[in-house]
Amino acid sequence: MLKSIKEVLTEDDPTPWTGSEATFLAVKNQVAQRWGKKTANEFRATHDARTYRGWLSRNLVVNKGESGLESFVIVEKKNSDGKVIEKIYKKIWLFHRKQGIMDIFGT
């Protein structure tokens, strides 16, 4: 049985956010600029922001025309021994649940 949007958004299904305070504050500041302090104070990095594909994997899609919240991840490049030889900063775009997240099946 398909779940409603409300059920999907409220269930405990955390994002892959790893706990970086810097990325949390950067995204939270963008949330405050777009939707105000109240939404920023309620912001949960583990549930409220995902990549486009992250929402899609939950059968939800962002409204057309929405622009993402800028963040970054650090990708570690390792040698054959498994030792980190380089850290690459990769820009990613996150979408807040307020950005018109809707069920792709229309339910």
Side-chain angles (χ1 to χ4, degrees):
M1 180 175 168
L2 292 175
K3 297 177 183 177
S4 71
I5 295 171
K6 186 176 181 179
E7 288 173 321
V8 172
L9 290 176
T10 56
E11 65 187 19
D12 192 24
D13 181 18
T15 66
W17 178 66
T18 58
S20 165
E21 187 70 19
T23 58
F24 171 77
L25 292 175
V27 174
K28 183 176 178 176
N29 287 335
Q30 292 174 71
V31 169
Q33 290 173 348
R34 289 194 191 183
W35 298 289
K37 283 186 178 182
K38 182 176 185 244
T39 301
N41 289 338
E42 295 170 352
F43 178 67
R44 301 173 304 158
T46 56
H47 291 79
D48 294 340
R50 297 176 186 271
T51 62
Y52 183 85
R53 286 185 180 168
W55 287 115
L56 197 58
S57 72
R58 302 180 81 212
N59 295 329
L60 299 168
V61 68
V62 177
N63 277 346
K64 188 175 183 178
E66 290 286 344
S67 57
L69 304 165
E70 187 176 332
S71 189
F72 67 92
V73 293
I74 300 171
V75 180
E76 294 180 341
K77 190 174 181 179
K78 298 179 181 181
N79 64 12
S80 58
D81 298 330
K83 186 176 179 181
V84 176
I85 57 172
E86 184 180 7
K87 290 184 179 184
I88 303 166
Y89 290 84
K90 181 180 175 188
K91 186 186 295 189
I92 62 169
W93 298 99
L94 302 173
F95 295 90
H96 190 276
R97 61 186 171 91
K98 284 190 165 258
Q99 291 184 272
I101 306 301
M102 59 184 206
D103 188 335
I104 62 174
F105 298 112
T107 59

